[in-house]
Amino acid sequence: MSELLHFSEHRLQEISLLIMGIVYTIRLIWIFRFKAGKERQAATGFGTTSKKGILYSWANIAMPWAMESSRRHFILYFQFVLFHLGVVSAIGLSFIIPYAPQWLNSSVLVFALQVSIGAACLIGVIRIIRRISSIYLRSISSPDDYFSLILLTVWFFFAFLSIPNNIQNGEWHLVTYFISTAFFLIYVPFSKISHYLYYPITRYYFGKTMGHRGVYPLRRA
């Protein structure tokens, strides 16, 4: 292993994670400075409460049947799931290679990572084409949307090449993967990709408010 690869796997990742953690901490401190408004009406409705609304709101992302957009476009929801599983796998790989490389001796884990990350990379390409070709998506897309999506897709590609941590044919793919991971960690807090930081907070207040008003979860006949 070269010094560059060792630096990329360890020190560079540690610095990037520290920077990301500091930025997120500052953001959360700023967000929680603002207190949510209190309910001005009495609790209404039957069979639901603020607590039920919060739990249902958090779980809504895993219930495609509960959202009209997912029911009507299940293929897009399926792509969404695979894409985010690929994100988790690629992030996990960045910790496995430097700190638990022996795990990659498992052919089952290697296959699972290859399938997950490979599928996410393919979906990334499909999303890029769809965003460029659709007049509706182009009209609401910012430069950050394109850059973030391309960045993620390239990152998936080099993550896929980095499995199963083989440097017999060179280490350029591993160096590229870890350098792009470091850039990704620093860039994410300043991009739209950081939406996952706000998801549990926004869904908490939405579920709490709608549950208090007695309209969430929806009661279906």
Side-chain angles (χ1 to χ4, degrees), residues 153-211:
T153 305
V154 172
W155 181 58
F156 286 139
F157 176 73
F158 284 103
F160 181 82
L161 294 181
S162 298
I163 309 168
N165 192 27
N166 189 345
I167 60 174
Q168 292 180 354
N169 298 321
E171 55 185 38
W172 63 272
H173 53 296
L174 282 163
V175 172
T176 305
Y177 165 59
F178 279 103
I179 290 178
S180 60
T181 301
F183 176 79
F184 179 73
L185 292 172
I186 295 175
Y187 174 71
V188 162
F190 303 98
S191 73
K192 287 188 175 180
I193 303 176
S194 62
H195 62 272
Y196 64 84
L197 179 69
Y198 308 117
Y199 177 84
I201 300 173
T202 56
R203 297 302 300 187
Y204 170 85
Y205 286 114
F206 178 80
K208 180 181 179 181
T209 300
M210 295 297 101

Tab-separated table of all heavy atoms in Angstrom, residues 153-211:
chain	number	residue	atom	x	y	z
A	153	THR	N	-23.115	9.367	-8.752
A	153	THR	CA	-23.002	8.290	-9.730
A	153	THR	C	-21.546	7.898	-9.954
A	153	THR	O	-21.208	6.714	-10.013
A	153	THR	CB	-23.651	8.709	-11.058
A	153	THR	OG1	-25.018	9.107	-10.810
A	153	THR	CG2	-23.657	7.565	-12.044
A	154	VAL	N	-20.674	8.904	-10.078
A	154	VAL	CA	-19.231	8.632	-10.233
A	154	VAL	C	-18.688	7.953	-8.985
A	154	VAL	O	-17.873	7.024	-9.062
A	154	VAL	CB	-18.473	9.942	-10.519
A	154	VAL	CG1	-16.959	9.711	-10.480
A	154	VAL	CG2	-18.889	10.510	-11.874
A	155	TRP	N	-19.145	8.412	-7.836
A	155	TRP	CA	-18.718	7.824	-6.562
A	155	TRP	C	-19.122	6.356	-6.479
A	155	TRP	O	-18.338	5.504	-6.064
A	155	TRP	CB	-19.340	8.625	-5.420
A	155	TRP	CG	-18.994	8.167	-4.046
A	155	TRP	CD1	-17.751	8.047	-3.495
A	155	TRP	CD2	-19.922	7.792	-3.017
A	155	TRP	NE1	-17.853	7.625	-2.185
A	155	TRP	CE2	-19.170	7.463	-1.870
A	155	TRP	CE3	-21.312	7.726	-2.957
A	155	TRP	CZ2	-19.767	7.057	-0.680
A	155	TRP	CZ3	-21.912	7.336	-1.778
A	155	TRP	CH2	-21.146	7.001	-0.652
A	156	PHE	N	-20.354	6.034	-6.901
A	156	PHE	CA	-20.797	4.645	-6.946
A	156	PHE	C	-19.906	3.811	-7.863
A	156	PHE	O	-19.559	2.671	-7.544
A	156	PHE	CB	-22.241	4.552	-7.449
A	156	PHE	CG	-23.276	4.989	-6.459
A	156	PHE	CD1	-24.365	5.751	-6.867
A	156	PHE	CD2	-23.190	4.638	-5.118
A	156	PHE	CE1	-25.331	6.150	-5.965
A	156	PHE	CE2	-24.149	5.036	-4.207
A	156	PHE	CZ	-25.227	5.794	-4.636
A	157	PHE	N	-19.538	4.379	-8.999
A	157	PHE	CA	-18.729	3.649	-9.978
A	157	PHE	C	-17.387	3.239	-9.382
A	157	PHE	O	-16.972	2.074	-9.490
A	157	PHE	CB	-18.516	4.519	-11.217
A	157	PHE	CG	-17.620	3.903	-12.258
A	157	PHE	CD1	-18.067	2.845	-13.032
A	157	PHE	CD2	-16.327	4.361	-12.442
A	157	PHE	CE1	-17.246	2.257	-13.989
A	157	PHE	CE2	-15.489	3.789	-13.385
A	157	PHE	CZ	-15.958	2.731	-14.164
A	158	PHE	N	-16.710	4.166	-8.720
A	158	PHE	CA	-15.407	3.840	-8.141
A	158	PHE	C	-15.543	2.985	-6.878
A	158	PHE	O	-14.636	2.211	-6.555
A	158	PHE	CB	-14.618	5.120	-7.853
A	158	PHE	CG	-14.037	5.734	-9.093
A	158	PHE	CD1	-14.614	6.841	-9.681
A	158	PHE	CD2	-12.914	5.185	-9.686
A	158	PHE	CE1	-14.097	7.398	-10.830
A	158	PHE	CE2	-12.379	5.729	-10.839
A	158	PHE	CZ	-12.963	6.845	-11.421
A	159	ALA	N	-16.658	3.119	-6.172
A	159	ALA	CA	-16.912	2.225	-5.039
A	159	ALA	C	-17.066	0.793	-5.540
A	159	ALA	O	-16.547	-0.156	-4.941
A	159	ALA	CB	-18.157	2.668	-4.285
A	160	PHE	N	-17.769	0.633	-6.651
A	160	PHE	CA	-17.954	-0.691	-7.239
A	160	PHE	C	-16.612	-1.300	-7.647
A	160	PHE	O	-16.352	-2.490	-7.408
A	160	PHE	CB	-18.882	-0.590	-8.455
A	160	PHE	CG	-19.154	-1.906	-9.126
A	160	PHE	CD1	-20.122	-2.770	-8.629
A	160	PHE	CD2	-18.430	-2.298	-10.243
A	160	PHE	CE1	-20.367	-3.995	-9.244
A	160	PHE	CE2	-18.669	-3.513	-10.863
A	160	PHE	CZ	-19.640	-4.363	-10.362
A	161	LEU	N	-15.746	-0.487	-8.242
A	161	LEU	CA	-14.424	-0.969	-8.650
A	161	LEU	C	-13.549	-1.330	-7.456
A	161	LEU	O	-12.636	-2.154	-7.580
A	161	LEU	CB	-13.711	0.091	-9.499
A	161	LEU	CG	-14.317	0.436	-10.862
A	161	LEU	CD1	-13.446	1.483	-11.564
A	161	LEU	CD2	-14.452	-0.803	-11.738
A	162	SER	N	-13.832	-0.701	-6.307
A	162	SER	CA	-12.989	-0.919	-5.115
A	162	SER	C	-13.310	-2.205	-4.383
A	162	SER	O	-12.610	-2.584	-3.440
A	162	SER	CB	-13.148	0.270	-4.151
A	162	SER	OG	-12.720	1.462	-4.757
A	163	ILE	N	-14.367	-2.894	-4.796
A	163	ILE	CA	-14.703	-4.187	-4.197
A	163	ILE	C	-14.001	-5.275	-5.006
A	163	ILE	O	-14.061	-5.254	-6.242
A	163	ILE	CB	-16.230	-4.430	-4.233
A	163	ILE	CG1	-16.985	-3.224	-3.662
A	163	ILE	CG2	-16.607	-5.684	-3.462
A	163	ILE	CD1	-18.467	-3.251	-3.912
A	164	PRO	N	-13.298	-6.215	-4.401
A	164	PRO	CA	-13.155	-6.461	-2.951
A	164	PRO	C	-11.808	-6.011	-2.388
A	164	PRO	O	-11.073	-6.808	-1.792
A	164	PRO	CB	-13.289	-7.970	-2.856
A	164	PRO	CG	-12.632	-8.451	-4.139
A	164	PRO	CD	-12.852	-7.381	-5.166
A	165	ASN	N	-11.426	-4.766	-2.618
A	165	ASN	CA	-10.191	-4.209	-2.039
A	165	ASN	C	-8.949	-4.911	-2.577
A	165	ASN	O	-8.052	-5.304	-1.828
A	165	ASN	CB	-10.233	-4.305	-0.506
A	165	ASN	CG	-9.126	-3.493	0.149
A	165	ASN	OD1	-8.657	-2.510	-0.418
A	165	ASN	ND2	-8.713	-3.904	1.329
A	166	ASN	N	-8.891	-5.056	-3.878
A	166	ASN	CA	-7.772	-5.754	-4.532
A	166	ASN	C	-6.829	-4.727	-5.164
A	166	ASN	O	-7.255	-3.919	-5.992
A	166	ASN	CB	-8.320	-6.695	-5.612
A	166	ASN	CG	-7.240	-7.602	-6.177
A	166	ASN	OD1	-6.050	-7.363	-5.982
A	166	ASN	ND2	-7.661	-8.654	-6.870
A	167	ILE	N	-5.539	-4.739	-4.795
A	167	ILE	CA	-4.578	-3.777	-5.342
A	167	ILE	C	-3.516	-4.466	-6.205
A	167	ILE	O	-2.491	-3.872	-6.524
A	167	ILE	CB	-3.887	-2.982	-4.210
A	167	ILE	CG1	-3.123	-3.921	-3.264
A	167	ILE	CG2	-4.891	-2.144	-3.445
A	167	ILE	CD1	-2.309	-3.191	-2.222
A	168	GLN	N	-3.782	-5.706	-6.582
A	168	GLN	CA	-2.818	-6.421	-7.420
A	168	GLN	C	-2.664	-5.770	-8.790
A	168	GLN	O	-1.580	-5.812	-9.386
A	168	GLN	CB	-3.256	-7.881	-7.585
A	168	GLN	CG	-3.175	-8.692	-6.299
A	168	GLN	CD	-3.605	-10.138	-6.498
A	168	GLN	OE1	-4.082	-10.517	-7.579
A	168	GLN	NE2	-3.433	-10.947	-5.465
A	169	ASN	N	-3.735	-5.180	-9.298
A	169	ASN	CA	-3.697	-4.525	-10.610
A	169	ASN	C	-3.611	-3.010	-10.493
A	169	ASN	O	-3.973	-2.278	-11.410
A	169	ASN	CB	-4.943	-4.907	-11.418
A	169	ASN	CG	-5.017	-6.394	-11.696
A	169	ASN	OD1	-3.994	-7.035	-11.978
A	169	ASN	ND2	-6.217	-6.960	-11.602
A	170	GLY	N	-3.107	-2.539	-9.364
A	170	GLY	CA	-3.000	-1.107	-9.137
A	170	GLY	C	-3.976	-0.648	-8.073
A	170	GLY	O	-4.892	-1.369	-7.679
A	171	GLU	N	-3.765	0.569	-7.610
A	171	GLU	CA	-4.615	1.102	-6.542
A	171	GLU	C	-5.271	2.429	-6.913
A	171	GLU	O	-5.858	3.094	-6.059
A	171	GLU	CB	-3.796	1.275	-5.264
A	171	GLU	CG	-2.558	2.128	-5.433
A	171	GLU	CD	-1.690	2.189	-4.185
A	171	GLU	OE1	-1.576	1.156	-3.502
A	171	GLU	OE2	-1.144	3.258	-3.898
A	172	TRP	N	-5.211	2.791	-8.190
A	172	TRP	CA	-5.778	4.067	-8.623
A	172	TRP	C	-7.271	4.159	-8.333
A	172	TRP	O	-7.779	5.225	-7.964
A	172	TRP	CB	-5.520	4.279	-10.113
A	172	TRP	CG	-6.185	3.251	-10.979
A	172	TRP	CD1	-5.682	2.053	-11.365
A	172	TRP	CD2	-7.501	3.340	-11.544
A	172	TRP	NE1	-6.588	1.361	-12.130
A	172	TRP	CE2	-7.708	2.123	-12.264
A	172	TRP	CE3	-8.504	4.293	-11.530
A	172	TRP	CZ2	-8.907	1.874	-12.946
A	172	TRP	CZ3	-9.694	4.034	-12.205
A	172	TRP	CH2	-9.879	2.840	-12.909
A	173	HIS	N	-7.976	3.029	-8.493
A	173	HIS	CA	-9.419	3.045	-8.259
A	173	HIS	C	-9.741	3.259	-6.780
A	173	HIS	O	-10.703	3.956	-6.439
A	173	HIS	CB	-10.060	1.746	-8.754
A	173	HIS	CG	-9.436	0.505	-8.205
A	173	HIS	ND1	-8.132	0.131	-8.467
A	173	HIS	CD2	-9.938	-0.451	-7.379
A	173	HIS	CE1	-7.869	-1.000	-7.839
A	173	HIS	NE2	-8.940	-1.367	-7.172
A	174	LEU	N	-8.924	2.671	-5.892
A	174	LEU	CA	-9.138	2.859	-4.458
A	174	LEU	C	-8.809	4.287	-4.044
A	174	LEU	O	-9.538	4.897	-3.254
A	174	LEU	CB	-8.270	1.873	-3.673
A	174	LEU	CG	-8.783	0.430	-3.606
A	174	LEU	CD1	-7.676	-0.516	-3.174
A	174	LEU	CD2	-9.975	0.331	-2.663
A	175	VAL	N	-7.721	4.831	-4.568
A	175	VAL	CA	-7.347	6.219	-4.258
A	175	VAL	C	-8.438	7.174	-4.718
A	175	VAL	O	-8.843	8.086	-3.984
A	175	VAL	CB	-5.995	6.579	-4.915
A	175	VAL	CG1	-5.711	8.079	-4.757
A	175	VAL	CG2	-4.863	5.774	-4.304
A	176	THR	N	-8.935	6.950	-5.943
A	176	THR	CA	-9.999	7.804	-6.478
A	176	THR	C	-11.265	7.694	-5.640
A	176	THR	O	-11.936	8.700	-5.358
A	176	THR	CB	-10.311	7.427	-7.932
A	176	THR	OG1	-9.105	7.475	-8.706
A	176	THR	CG2	-11.326	8.391	-8.531
A	177	TYR	N	-11.597	6.474	-5.222
A	177	TYR	CA	-12.798	6.258	-4.411
A	177	TYR	C	-12.698	6.991	-3.080
A	177	TYR	O	-13.644	7.687	-2.665
A	177	TYR	CB	-12.999	4.763	-4.182
A	177	TYR	CG	-13.978	4.418	-3.085
A	177	TYR	CD1	-15.306	4.842	-3.135
A	177	TYR	CD2	-13.579	3.668	-1.973
A	177	TYR	CE1	-16.201	4.530	-2.132
A	177	TYR	CE2	-14.465	3.347	-0.972
A	177	TYR	CZ	-15.776	3.780	-1.050
A	177	TYR	OH	-16.657	3.469	-0.045
A	178	PHE	N	-11.570	6.894	-2.395
A	178	PHE	CA	-11.445	7.518	-1.080
A	178	PHE	C	-11.295	9.035	-1.170
A	178	PHE	O	-11.801	9.761	-0.301
A	178	PHE	CB	-10.275	6.899	-0.308
A	178	PHE	CG	-10.632	5.597	0.344
A	178	PHE	CD1	-10.217	4.397	-0.211
A	178	PHE	CD2	-11.405	5.571	1.488
A	178	PHE	CE1	-10.558	3.184	0.382
A	178	PHE	CE2	-11.754	4.366	2.093
A	178	PHE	CZ	-11.333	3.174	1.541
A	179	ILE	N	-10.648	9.531	-2.214
A	179	ILE	CA	-10.564	10.984	-2.398
A	179	ILE	C	-11.951	11.546	-2.717
A	179	ILE	O	-12.348	12.590	-2.179
A	179	ILE	CB	-9.560	11.342	-3.507
A	179	ILE	CG1	-8.129	11.037	-3.034
A	179	ILE	CG2	-9.679	12.822	-3.891
A	179	ILE	CD1	-7.059	11.310	-4.072
A	180	SER	N	-12.703	10.857	-3.570
A	180	SER	CA	-14.060	11.315	-3.886
A	180	SER	C	-14.973	11.197	-2.671
A	180	SER	O	-15.866	12.025	-2.480
A	180	SER	CB	-14.633	10.516	-5.062
A	180	SER	OG	-14.690	9.126	-4.768
A	181	THR	N	-14.741	10.180	-1.830
A	181	THR	CA	-15.517	10.048	-0.593
A	181	THR	C	-15.251	11.224	0.334
A	181	THR	O	-16.181	11.791	0.926
A	181	THR	CB	-15.170	8.739	0.140
A	181	THR	OG1	-15.447	7.626	-0.702
A	181	THR	CG2	-15.978	8.602	1.432
A	182	ALA	N	-13.979	11.620	0.444
A	182	ALA	CA	-13.616	12.758	1.289
A	182	ALA	C	-14.259	14.047	0.767
A	182	ALA	O	-14.816	14.839	1.547
A	182	ALA	CB	-12.098	12.910	1.327
A	183	PHE	N	-14.196	14.239	-0.543
A	183	PHE	CA	-14.824	15.426	-1.134
A	183	PHE	C	-16.335	15.393	-0.891
A	183	PHE	O	-16.941	16.412	-0.570
A	183	PHE	CB	-14.535	15.481	-2.628
A	183	PHE	CG	-15.232	16.614	-3.329
A	183	PHE	CD1	-14.728	17.905	-3.260
A	183	PHE	CD2	-16.406	16.401	-4.041
A	183	PHE	CE1	-15.371	18.957	-3.888
A	183	PHE	CE2	-17.060	17.445	-4.671
A	183	PHE	CZ	-16.534	18.731	-4.599
A	184	PHE	N	-16.907	14.214	-1.034
A	184	PHE	CA	-18.342	14.015	-0.844
A	184	PHE	C	-18.742	14.389	0.586
A	184	PHE	O	-19.741	15.082	0.808
A	184	PHE	CB	-18.674	12.557	-1.143
A	184	PHE	CG	-20.110	12.181	-0.976
A	184	PHE	CD1	-21.062	12.589	-1.895
A	184	PHE	CD2	-20.520	11.402	0.096
A	184	PHE	CE1	-22.395	12.237	-1.740
A	184	PHE	CE2	-21.837	11.049	0.250
A	184	PHE	CZ	-22.781	11.466	-0.673
A	185	LEU	N	-17.968	13.953	1.568
A	185	LEU	CA	-18.273	14.227	2.972
A	185	LEU	C	-18.244	15.728	3.274
A	185	LEU	O	-19.063	16.239	4.046
A	185	LEU	CB	-17.280	13.500	3.877
A	185	LEU	CG	-17.376	11.969	3.899
A	185	LEU	CD1	-16.218	11.378	4.688
A	185	LEU	CD2	-18.705	11.517	4.494
A	186	ILE	N	-17.295	16.438	2.668
A	186	ILE	CA	-17.181	17.873	2.908
A	186	ILE	C	-18.249	18.647	2.148
A	186	ILE	O	-18.806	19.633	2.643
A	186	ILE	CB	-15.772	18.372	2.510
A	186	ILE	CG1	-14.713	17.728	3.419
A	186	ILE	CG2	-15.687	19.897	2.593
A	186	ILE	CD1	-13.286	18.050	3.028
A	187	TYR	N	-18.581	18.184	0.947
A	187	TYR	CA	-19.529	18.902	0.099
A	187	TYR	C	-20.987	18.708	0.533
A	187	TYR	O	-21.786	19.646	0.456
A	187	TYR	CB	-19.361	18.432	-1.350
A	187	TYR	CG	-20.377	19.002	-2.305
A	187	TYR	CD1	-20.344	20.347	-2.666
A	187	TYR	CD2	-21.390	18.195	-2.845
A	187	TYR	CE1	-21.274	20.878	-3.545
A	187	TYR	CE2	-22.328	18.719	-3.725
A	187	TYR	CZ	-22.263	20.054	-4.070
A	187	TYR	OH	-23.185	20.574	-4.937
A	188	VAL	N	-21.317	17.524	0.994
A	188	VAL	CA	-22.707	17.185	1.317
A	188	VAL	C	-23.391	18.190	2.256
A	188	VAL	O	-24.529	18.599	1.995
A	188	VAL	CB	-22.795	15.757	1.903
A	188	VAL	CG1	-24.114	15.550	2.630
A	188	VAL	CG2	-22.683	14.736	0.792
A	189	PRO	N	-22.772	18.623	3.360
A	189	PRO	CA	-23.470	19.547	4.266
A	189	PRO	C	-23.852	20.877	3.614
A	189	PRO	O	-24.710	21.593	4.126
A	189	PRO	CB	-22.448	19.768	5.392
A	189	PRO	CG	-21.566	18.582	5.347
A	189	PRO	CD	-21.469	18.220	3.899
A	190	PHE	N	-23.220	21.204	2.485
A	190	PHE	CA	-23.498	22.467	1.807
A	190	PHE	C	-24.358	22.274	0.561
A	190	PHE	O	-24.579	23.216	-0.193
A	190	PHE	CB	-22.180	23.150	1.424
A	190	PHE	CG	-21.268	23.407	2.582
A	190	PHE	CD1	-20.220	22.548	2.865
A	190	PHE	CD2	-21.468	24.511	3.405
A	190	PHE	CE1	-19.374	22.777	3.942
A	190	PHE	CE2	-20.637	24.754	4.489
A	190	PHE	CZ	-19.590	23.878	4.760
A	191	SER	N	-24.820	21.055	0.346
A	191	SER	CA	-25.590	20.754	-0.860
A	191	SER	C	-26.989	20.290	-0.491
A	191	SER	O	-27.333	20.126	0.683
A	191	SER	CB	-24.894	19.659	-1.676
A	191	SER	OG	-25.033	18.399	-1.037
A	192	LYS	N	-27.798	20.024	-1.528
A	192	LYS	CA	-29.154	19.539	-1.294
A	192	LYS	C	-29.169	18.111	-0.773
A	192	LYS	O	-30.197	17.642	-0.298
A	192	LYS	CB	-29.958	19.627	-2.597
A	192	LYS	CG	-30.341	21.037	-2.986
A	192	LYS	CD	-31.292	21.046	-4.166
A	192	LYS	CE	-31.760	22.455	-4.480
A	192	LYS	NZ	-32.702	22.481	-5.630
A	193	ILE	N	-28.044	17.423	-0.866
A	193	ILE	CA	-27.995	16.051	-0.365
A	193	ILE	C	-28.222	16.022	1.145
A	193	ILE	O	-28.632	15.006	1.709
A	193	ILE	CB	-26.640	15.393	-0.709
A	193	ILE	CG1	-26.409	15.432	-2.224
A	193	ILE	CG2	-26.590	13.948	-0.234
A	193	ILE	CD1	-25.049	14.903	-2.653
A	194	SER	N	-27.989	17.143	1.803
A	194	SER	CA	-28.155	17.194	3.263
A	194	SER	C	-29.612	17.175	3.684
A	194	SER	O	-29.919	17.332	4.875
A	194	SER	CB	-27.478	18.451	3.823
A	194	SER	OG	-28.085	19.623	3.300
A	195	HIS	N	-30.544	16.938	2.734
A	195	HIS	CA	-31.967	16.908	3.088
A	195	HIS	C	-32.270	15.838	4.127
A	195	HIS	O	-33.220	15.973	4.900
A	195	HIS	CB	-32.823	16.656	1.840
A	195	HIS	CG	-32.559	15.331	1.183
A	195	HIS	ND1	-31.595	15.166	0.228
A	195	HIS	CD2	-33.125	14.114	1.346
A	195	HIS	CE1	-31.590	13.902	-0.168
A	195	HIS	NE2	-32.503	13.238	0.497
A	196	TYR	N	-31.461	14.763	4.153
A	196	TYR	CA	-31.725	13.696	5.122
A	196	TYR	C	-31.556	14.178	6.553
A	196	TYR	O	-32.101	13.580	7.489
A	196	TYR	CB	-30.817	12.490	4.870
A	196	TYR	CG	-29.341	12.755	5.066
A	196	TYR	CD1	-28.769	12.686	6.330
A	196	TYR	CD2	-28.509	13.056	3.990
A	196	TYR	CE1	-27.426	12.929	6.526
A	196	TYR	CE2	-27.164	13.286	4.169
A	196	TYR	CZ	-26.625	13.230	5.439
A	196	TYR	OH	-25.287	13.479	5.624
A	197	LEU	N	-30.803	15.274	6.742
A	197	LEU	CA	-30.629	15.820	8.087
A	197	LEU	C	-31.938	16.418	8.597
A	197	LEU	O	-32.238	16.373	9.793
A	197	LEU	CB	-29.534	16.897	8.078
A	197	LEU	CG	-29.234	17.590	9.408
A	197	LEU	CD1	-28.578	16.600	10.372
A	197	LEU	CD2	-28.337	18.797	9.206
A	198	TYR	N	-32.736	16.960	7.681
A	198	TYR	CA	-33.958	17.646	8.068
A	198	TYR	C	-35.173	16.728	8.064
A	198	TYR	O	-36.215	17.087	8.629
A	198	TYR	CB	-34.212	18.827	7.117
A	198	TYR	CG	-33.027	19.746	6.986
A	198	TYR	CD1	-32.383	19.911	5.763
A	198	TYR	CD2	-32.533	20.442	8.090
A	198	TYR	CE1	-31.282	20.744	5.646
A	198	TYR	CE2	-31.441	21.269	7.986
A	198	TYR	CZ	-30.816	21.421	6.750
A	198	TYR	OH	-29.731	22.243	6.647
A	199	TYR	N	-35.057	15.585	7.404
A	199	TYR	CA	-36.221	14.696	7.275
A	199	TYR	C	-36.846	14.337	8.623
A	199	TYR	O	-38.059	14.530	8.806
A	199	TYR	CB	-35.843	13.431	6.511
A	199	TYR	CG	-36.978	12.439	6.405
A	199	TYR	CD1	-37.936	12.558	5.397
A	199	TYR	CD2	-37.112	11.400	7.321
A	199	TYR	CE1	-38.998	11.665	5.304
A	199	TYR	CE2	-38.170	10.513	7.237
A	199	TYR	CZ	-39.103	10.648	6.235
A	199	TYR	OH	-40.155	9.763	6.170
A	200	PRO	N	-36.095	13.807	9.585
A	200	PRO	CA	-36.740	13.421	10.852
A	200	PRO	C	-37.326	14.606	11.605
A	200	PRO	O	-38.335	14.460	12.307
A	200	PRO	CB	-35.600	12.765	11.648
A	200	PRO	CG	-34.355	13.273	11.029
A	200	PRO	CD	-34.657	13.491	9.589
A	201	ILE	N	-36.738	15.801	11.428
A	201	ILE	CA	-37.237	16.985	12.137
A	201	ILE	C	-38.544	17.461	11.524
A	201	ILE	O	-39.539	17.690	12.223
A	201	ILE	CB	-36.188	18.119	12.095
A	201	ILE	CG1	-34.890	17.654	12.777
A	201	ILE	CG2	-36.726	19.372	12.787
A	201	ILE	CD1	-33.747	18.634	12.632
A	202	THR	N	-38.561	17.618	10.202
A	202	THR	CA	-39.764	18.110	9.532
A	202	THR	C	-40.918	17.128	9.650
A	202	THR	O	-42.064	17.519	9.879
A	202	THR	CB	-39.480	18.398	8.052
A	202	THR	OG1	-38.956	17.215	7.428
A	202	THR	CG2	-38.468	19.517	7.906
A	203	ARG	N	-40.604	15.827	9.509
A	203	ARG	CA	-41.669	14.833	9.620
A	203	ARG	C	-42.205	14.748	11.047
A	203	ARG	O	-43.369	14.438	11.282
A	203	ARG	CB	-41.165	13.457	9.172
A	203	ARG	CG	-40.739	13.366	7.732
A	203	ARG	CD	-41.829	13.743	6.761
A	203	ARG	NE	-43.008	12.899	6.854
A	203	ARG	CZ	-44.032	12.960	6.001
A	203	ARG	NH1	-44.006	13.832	4.996
A	203	ARG	NH2	-45.075	12.169	6.136
A	204	TYR	N	-41.341	15.020	12.036
A	204	TYR	CA	-41.774	15.027	13.436
A	204	TYR	C	-42.846	16.096	13.650
A	204	TYR	O	-43.928	15.823	14.200
A	204	TYR	CB	-40.584	15.295	14.355
A	204	TYR	CG	-40.957	15.553	15.800
A	204	TYR	CD1	-41.143	14.510	16.689
A	204	TYR	CD2	-41.130	16.858	16.265
A	204	TYR	CE1	-41.498	14.744	18.019
A	204	TYR	CE2	-41.483	17.111	17.574
A	204	TYR	CZ	-41.669	16.057	18.455
A	204	TYR	OH	-42.020	16.311	19.764
A	205	TYR	N	-42.566	17.316	13.205
A	205	TYR	CA	-43.505	18.412	13.429
A	205	TYR	C	-44.769	18.257	12.591
A	205	TYR	O	-45.869	18.602	13.041
A	205	TYR	CB	-42.829	19.759	13.143
A	205	TYR	CG	-41.857	20.154	14.220
A	205	TYR	CD1	-40.498	20.238	13.968
A	205	TYR	CD2	-42.304	20.422	15.512
A	205	TYR	CE1	-39.597	20.577	14.970
A	205	TYR	CE2	-41.421	20.774	16.526
A	205	TYR	CZ	-40.064	20.849	16.238
A	205	TYR	OH	-39.191	21.184	17.244
A	206	PHE	N	-44.623	17.712	11.376
A	206	PHE	CA	-45.799	17.487	10.549
A	206	PHE	C	-46.718	16.451	11.201
A	206	PHE	O	-47.929	16.665	11.326
A	206	PHE	CB	-45.380	17.008	9.165
A	206	PHE	CG	-46.542	16.697	8.254
A	206	PHE	CD1	-47.218	17.706	7.601
A	206	PHE	CD2	-46.967	15.386	8.066
A	206	PHE	CE1	-48.300	17.430	6.785
A	206	PHE	CE2	-48.041	15.090	7.246
A	206	PHE	CZ	-48.714	16.125	6.602
A	207	GLY	N	-46.132	15.322	11.621
A	207	GLY	CA	-46.936	14.272	12.257
A	207	GLY	C	-47.546	14.725	13.564
A	207	GLY	O	-48.709	14.397	13.859
A	208	LYS	N	-46.802	15.492	14.338
A	208	LYS	CA	-47.310	15.979	15.621
A	208	LYS	C	-48.503	16.907	15.422
A	208	LYS	O	-49.537	16.774	16.096
A	208	LYS	CB	-46.200	16.718	16.368
A	208	LYS	CG	-46.620	17.269	17.721
A	208	LYS	CD	-45.462	18.000	18.389
A	208	LYS	CE	-45.899	18.570	19.741
A	208	LYS	NZ	-44.784	19.307	20.392
A	209	THR	N	-48.374	17.838	14.475
A	209	THR	CA	-49.438	18.807	14.232
A	209	THR	C	-50.684	18.149	13.643
A	209	THR	O	-51.809	18.366	14.122
A	209	THR	CB	-48.945	19.907	13.274
A	209	THR	OG1	-47.829	20.574	13.852
A	209	THR	CG2	-50.046	20.927	13.006
A	210	MET	N	-50.482	17.326	12.610
A	210	MET	CA	-51.627	16.699	11.958
A	210	MET	C	-52.289	15.650	12.857
A	210	MET	O	-53.498	15.450	12.816
A	210	MET	CB	-51.193	16.054	10.643
A	210	MET	CG	-50.709	17.022	9.580
A	210	MET	SD	-51.973	18.202	9.021
A	210	MET	CE	-51.492	19.676	9.939
A	211	GLY	N	-51.475	14.975	13.682
A	211	GLY	CA	-52.051	14.025	14.629
A	211	GLY	C	-52.885	14.733	15.680
A	211	GLY	O	-53.960	14.259	16.073
